[in-house]
Structure formats: C-alpha cells, structure tokens
Amino acid sequence: MDEKLITVTSPLLPSLDDFLPYLQDIWDRKWLTNNGHYHQELEKALCEYLKVPYISLFTNGTLPLMCALQALRITGEVITTPFSFVATTHSLWWNGIKPVFVDIDPDTCNIDPAKVEAAITPRTTAIMPVHVYGKPCDTERIQEIADKYGLKVIYDAAHAFGVEVDGRSILEAGDMSTLSFHATKVYNTIEGGALVCHDEKVKRRIDYLKNFGFAGETTIVAPGINGKMDEIRSAYGLLNLKRVDGAIAARRRVAMRYREALRNVPGIRVMEDMPGVRHNYSYFPVFVDAEKYGMTRDELYFKLKGENVLGRRYFYPLISEFSTYRGLDSARMENLPVATRVADSVVCLPMYHSLTEGEIEKVLINIAL
Ligand SMILES: *Cc1c(COP(=O)(O)O)cnc(C)c1O
C-alpha cells in the first residue's frame, strides 16, 4: 500500500516567506518574551477578531483554565462534564478542587443544564462547561442556575474559536472563557492559549497570575505561575489569524460534503448546524448505532485505520473513567448514562482546511457502505 495516510487533522501554517521578516524583526528588537511588541499586537488583533474586550495570551490552553480558577478564587467543588479533553478536569485537580461530573445532552454533547442543579451542594462554587466540538452550550440556562445559586461560570472554549451566536461571540458568556491555540486546533500558535474576561481589572489580575504574581518590580500579589506567550509564537499567531477565515470556510465545505453523503446512512448520525450560530467546524464527529449500522464504532474506527484513514475516538474514554477520577461518586457510570453511550459511539473524521476532494471521497467510501 503506497497510499498516503489521511490524518485526523493537519495544522494551519503561515507561509514561511511571510514569517521570516517577523523573525528578523524579533532578532533586531532583542525582546523575546514578557509582553513584547508582537504579544501586544496579537492581543489587540484577537480582541478585534473575537469581538471581546479583554484577552490575555498564554503559553498553552491548560494554564488559562488553572489561572481562571485562581483568579476567581474557586474552591470546594466544581460541576463539570466528563465528555471533554482531560485538561478540563485536570485544571480543577491542580487547584485542589473536587470535580463533580454531570451527564451531557445527547444532541449537543454539552453539559446538560437540567442535571447541573441537582449536583449543587453547599461546597459548590462554580460550573465549568465545555463548548464541545465548538457547539455552543445552553449559556442562558447555565447562567440562570449560576445566578440563582451564586456560582461562577468558567467556559472551556478550547474548541470554540470564532464561534458566534446571533452575531455575538460565544466568549461573552460566563465569567471567563479559555481558548487553546494548540497545533491541532482551528487556530494555532503551535502551542498557545488565552483567557478571555469582561473587565479591565480582572485582566490585570490575570496578567499578574501568568507572570509569577508580579504586580511591580518588587511586589508579588499572588502565587502566580509562568504562563507567558513568547514573541515568536505571537508573531506566528498574527500571521495565522489572517488565514483563519479561509480555513474555516474550507472546513465548512468539508463538513457540507460529509453531511450530504452521511446524513441518510442508516445507523450514522451527524451533527447539523444550529440556527443563528457561526460554527467553526473544528471537528466532524459521527455517532454509530451499531445495530442499525451493522458495525460497532470500534469496528468502523479500525476499518478506517486499515485503509489509512485516521479517525479519532474523541472523547473516549470519558474523563471520569481515568484512574485519577474514577473513584469519585459522580464518576459512576449510572450517573453518566448519556455520556457513556456517546463516548462509546463517537468517531471524529479527518477534518482540516486542506483536505482534498479525493481524500474526502476516500473517507466517505469507507463509511457509506
Ligand atoms: C486542547 C484542549 C485543551 C487544552 O489545550 P492545550 O493548549 O493543549 O493545553 C483544553 N480543553 C479542551 C476541551 C481541549 O480540546
């Protein structure tokens, strides 16, 4: 078999010719990190693109989760979803917070607001939902619950770069939202991330936290951490930002093609666009009903692999099944029937801006029997 491997993702890269002058400029400036020229430029450009007032860049998408919890002084218990990337729950553990898992909505794969209220205890201080696959959570309902019980809301928006609802950024929801700019995401700075907040004073505090807690040459206001993004990746990020709309449009075309071919395949469910939402097409999950499809999810996954098509069982296993968390009361499978079923039936298909027509056909031929 000399056929090329079709990977599940492929990074969006700026052109090297465009990047070299930026590198030359960074060499000339001799300012490599600590809120440098390109760092400031990228924060400004991202605020504009994402339609948010305040953004703090980070060196990855996990540290903003950890710093959001520190900034808001979250303690005790936090209600979250088991259907996410492990970093969501790890950020709680690193802050000594007990995660409380609740089940998800089968249609959106996001935390089910109806389950959140029942999980609140006197120790609950916050809710940490995830906009899974970039599909917006029911932010209104979640905010109602948070307001009623006096809870903070931190959204893990790692998948939701550029997602808008009725023309407004999804990042406006809650007290804070975090982004990941990892190489595998819709928009990347190789490694990188950001924390979005709605208040200048809060941003200042976040900026202290990501720089060891320094509020001045000799003043430390918190046990901060080092989460700073450097100049090289900030410059790279500025260039990639110019390409991201094109990449999202290309992803959209792939999604349309996949849906058209798979929508009516018995036993395969695809996710459709939601009304009023600007989607980013960050992932293309399909859900396999083994009985109707005649093949289990794993059988399909390995069949694709045998044909050099790499899908990804994302998210499987559930976070609640990992050794760190499976002893928790809320991690019991009986508490998470929908998430368990979804995790056992999902496979994400190759999805990126540069997938060719031939590659799309090859993926589809192996699924639409
Ligand atoms: C990618 C991702 C993260 C972590 O981001 P990194 O930049 O890899 O640290 C957090 N949460 C979710 C849901 C993710 O997909």
Side-chain angles (χ1 to χ4, degrees):
M1 252 196 312
D2 57 348
E3 269 198 85
K4 192 168 133 262
L5 198 65
I6 305 177
T7 49
V8 71
T9 185
S10 177
L12 179 66
L13 280 157
S15 97
L16 199 51
D17 285 342
D18 289 346
F19 193 39
L20 290 174
Y22 281 69
L23 287 179
Q24 183 64 58
D25 189 51
I26 292 167
W27 257 245
D28 293 344
R29 287 174 188 272
K30 296 185 172 46
W31 185 306
L32 302 181
T33 186
N34 289 69
N35 198 30
H37 171 76
Y38 288 107
H39 184 284
Q40 291 176 31
E41 289 293 306
L42 184 57
E43 285 194 347
K44 254 186 268 166
L46 282 170
C47 279
E48 208 164 294
Y49 181 86
L50 296 169
K51 303 183 184 173
V52 294
Y54 302 103
I55 192 161
S56 292
L57 290 175
F58 278 79
T59 195
N60 59 51
T62 302
L63 284 162
L65 285 165
M66 289 166 55
C67 285
L69 294 162
Q70 285 281 322
L72 295 170
R73 293 185 175 269
I74 303 299
T75 56
E77 297 176 2
V78 170
I79 295 170
T80 189
T81 170
F83 193 72
S84 180
F85 182 62
V86 282
T88 313
T89 312
H90 281 352
S91 72
L92 299 171
W93 193 91
W94 274 75
N95 276 286
I97 295 163
K98 181 178 169 186
V100 175
F101 298 111
V102 299
D103 211 356
I104 60 171
D105 178 293
D107 293 326
T108 63
C109 299
N110 290 330
I111 200 166
D112 183 347
K115 303 281 157 55
V116 170
E117 206 160 351
I120 294 171
T121 77
R123 291 173 300 282
T124 310
T125 55
I127 309 169
M128 186 179 269
V130 182
H131 303 295
V132 176
Y133 308 132
K135 302 275 188 239
C137 289
D138 186 347
T139 55
E140 258 177 56
R141 186 73 195 101
I142 290 168
Q143 196 59 52
E144 271 171 27
I145 297 167
D147 290 343
K148 186 169 163 194
Y149 291 89
L151 308 176
K152 301 286 187 195
V153 185
I154 300 167
Y155 283 98
D156 180 342
H159 296 179
F161 187 89
V163 172
E164 293 175 10
V165 182
D166 298 327
R168 297 179 68 164
S169 172
I170 191 67
L171 305 170
E172 283 184 29
D175 293 278
M176 292 184 188
S177 292
T178 68
L179 293 164
S180 166
F181 305 150
H182 183 255
T184 54
K185 308 296 209 263
V186 169
Y187 167 78
N188 82 84
T189 59
I190 306 175
E191 291 272 0
L195 183 43
V196 173
C197 66
H198 317 308
D199 182 302
E200 192 180 353
K201 282 182 243 161
V202 176
K203 171 173 165 56
R204 202 173 312 139
R205 186 162 156 75
I206 291 163
D207 288 344
Y208 298 154
L209 283 171
K210 76 173 190 189
N211 188 27
F212 309 99
F214 275 109
E217 235 176 277
T218 53
T219 315
I220 292 285
V221 294
I225 201 159
N226 182 2
K228 306 186 301 294
M229 182 183 280
D230 63 71
E231 286 292 276
I232 296 180
R233 286 188 285 145
S234 301
Y236 172 107
L238 275 170
L239 285 172
N240 244 0
L241 193 56
K242 295 181 189 166
R243 298 200 157 191
V244 73
D245 277 335
I248 291 172
R251 285 170 172 273
R252 182 169 185 278
R253 287 193 291 275
V254 177
M256 295 299 154
R257 192 65 199 86
Y258 277 160
R259 278 181 198 156
E260 179 190 287
L262 298 175
R263 191 176 277 132
N264 297 316
V265 175
I268 294 286
R269 180 169 77 87
V270 298
M271 287 178 127
E272 302 289 347
D273 282 0
M274 293 159 73
V277 176
R278 185 215 188 213
H279 292 285
N280 65 5
Y281 308 94
S282 46
Y283 300 88
F284 196 91
V286 300
F287 304 90
V288 181
D289 179 333
E291 229 165 84
K292 291 198 188 114
Y293 185 59
M295 204 188 267
T296 64
R297 183 274 311 272
D298 283 348
E299 282 166 349
L300 174 61
Y301 169 78
F302 286 111
K303 178 191 171 197
L304 289 169
K305 205 167 181 177
E307 297 292 334
N308 272 340
V309 175
L310 298 186
R312 194 173 166 199
R313 288 168 290 181
Y314 200 56
F315 298 101
Y316 163 85
L318 294 173
I319 302 176
S320 47
E321 290 174 40
F322 294 124
S323 58
T324 315
Y325 306 115
R326 69 179 166 221
L328 293 169
D329 223 28
S330 64
R332 284 173 301 111
M333 216 181 272
E334 309 88 80
N335 186 45
L336 308 166
V338 179
T340 303
R341 181 157 46 79
V342 170
D344 286 341
S345 69
V346 70
V347 57
C348 287
L349 303 184
M351 170 53 85
Y352 48 92
H353 61 288
S354 54
L355 264 183
T356 65
E357 196 54 47
E359 287 168 331
I360 295 170
E361 285 311 312
K362 185 170 172 192
V363 174
L364 288 174
I365 272 172
N366 284 291
I367 302 175
L369 306 166

